[in-house]
Amino acid sequence: MAAAYNGYTEEKLGWFIQFNAFIITKFTLQNLLMMKSIALIPARLGATRFPEKMLAQIKGKSVIRRTYESTVKTGLFDDVIVVTDSDKIEEEIIKNGGKAVRSKREYDSGTDRIAEVALGLDADVFVNVQGDEPFVQKAPLEKLLNVFEGKIGENIQVASLVQKLQDPESINDPNFVKVVLDLRQFAMYFSRCPIPYLRDKDWPISHYEHIGVYAFRKMPLLNFTQWPMSTLERAEKIECLRFLENGVPIKMVISQYMGIEIDMPEDIAKAEAFMEKMGFE
């Protein structure tokens, strides 16, 4: 005779557990399917260190075209749109089958630029993918989107990516934005200086590089454009400091974001070498 637990036989108890597991799984899948996400790629033509870098060619395709196509290829987004100040960039994307819109005016940051377009769109999460990141990969973007899911995710307003930084030269390079995290992996501060400073050289500590890929709920994204450029943002030239100075926490997602950012003319050769190493076409 089967044992009973609070009036349930083992057979009925097993069925009850399986049924509840099915309901939980179904609910989770519905949540994933219901969350609408849109990738917006800010792309301006002018660049001080590398003019018109978005149109620079990497093995026969422009930087911005490769960024757009890589983002679409992840399959994570309901829509992918390039937001640009340039007729040339808009034409480059559209003639190759993509979506692009012109921003109505000049902006201080890429976040300000995409907020203009996000105002007229409906989505749970907007992801800002930098236009000069031609080798966007699915795994880190998926991890970024995942933090917005479930009950805990409902409270996340802004999130971004970081990766460990181990090269001492890079840690001291102001072109690498560093970030320190609290115990819950929220950003405490961003800086071009080597933070944290190691007064005790023997103390084991990790340095993190901020990867400029952001995800936002709509309201904090729109609020960002209403706040003036903050004091620390102006000093460091790091736009996400505007969120911290206005009391908006930023959840940081640790990833291994292998890729090449196109910042200088010599980065084109690095990108082509990276493509050959990874077997990309």
Side-chain angles (χ1 to χ4, degrees), residues 84-104:
T84 182
D85 63 350
S86 163
D87 288 336
K88 290 182 179 179
I89 293 175
E90 182 182 32
E91 181 184 354
E92 168 70 4
I93 295 300
I94 291 175
K95 77 179 182 182
N96 287 294
K99 290 186 178 181
V101 296
R102 286 290 306 276
S103 53
K104 296 177 181 177

Side-chain angles (χ1 to χ4, degrees), residues 217-232:
R217 300 283 184 190
K218 188 171 186 176
M219 191 53 65
L221 175 57
L222 298 183
N223 287 342
F224 180 91
T225 67
Q226 303 305 307
W227 299 322
M229 183 181 287
S230 63
T231 301
L232 294 173

Side-chain angles (χ1 to χ4, degrees), residues 79-202:
D79 208 352
V80 179
I81 306 168
V82 172
V83 185
T84 182
D85 63 350
S86 163
D87 288 336
K88 290 182 179 179
I89 293 175
E90 182 182 32
E91 181 184 354
E92 168 70 4
I93 295 300
I94 291 175
K95 77 179 182 182
N96 287 294
K99 290 186 178 181
V101 296
R102 286 290 306 276
S103 53
K104 296 177 181 177
R105 63 180 181 86
E106 286 297 315
Y107 291 99
D108 294 325
S109 72
T111 303
D112 287 298
R113 189 182 306 281
I114 68 167
E116 177 193 298
V117 175
L119 179 62
L121 298 173
D122 180 33
D124 297 290
V125 178
F126 294 91
V127 176
N128 177 346
V129 178
Q130 300 298 314
D132 55 8
E133 295 274 1
F135 307 116
V136 175
Q137 297 174 47
K138 180 176 180 177
L141 292 180
E142 193 167 31
K143 286 182 70 176
L144 184 63
L145 288 171
N146 284 345
V147 303
F148 292 90
E149 296 168 0
K151 295 299 292 183
I152 296 176
E154 290 177 0
N155 297 317
I156 302 297
Q157 297 299 304
V158 182
S160 192
L161 294 174
V162 294
Q163 65 182 356
K164 283 193 175 182
L165 196 59
Q166 296 175 324
D167 175 34
E169 185 175 339
S170 299
I171 291 170
N172 288 284
D173 187 340
N175 291 313
F176 288 79
V177 174
K178 275 71 68 175
V179 56
V180 286
L181 311 179
D182 69 13
L183 296 178
R184 297 179 302 144
Q185 292 186 6
F186 283 88
M188 297 176 68
Y189 189 66
F190 298 84
S191 182
R192 297 183 182 278
C193 295
I195 55 172
Y197 174 74
L198 296 184
R199 184 172 181 180
D200 182 350
K201 304 298 183 183
D202 296 324

Side-chain angles (χ1 to χ4, degrees), residues 59 73 135 271-281:
K59 288 188 177 291
K73 189 177 179 181
F135 307 116
E272 292 180 341
F274 178 77
M275 288 183 67
E276 292 178 5
K277 178 183 177 181
M278 302 300 293
F280 294 164
E281 294 183 359

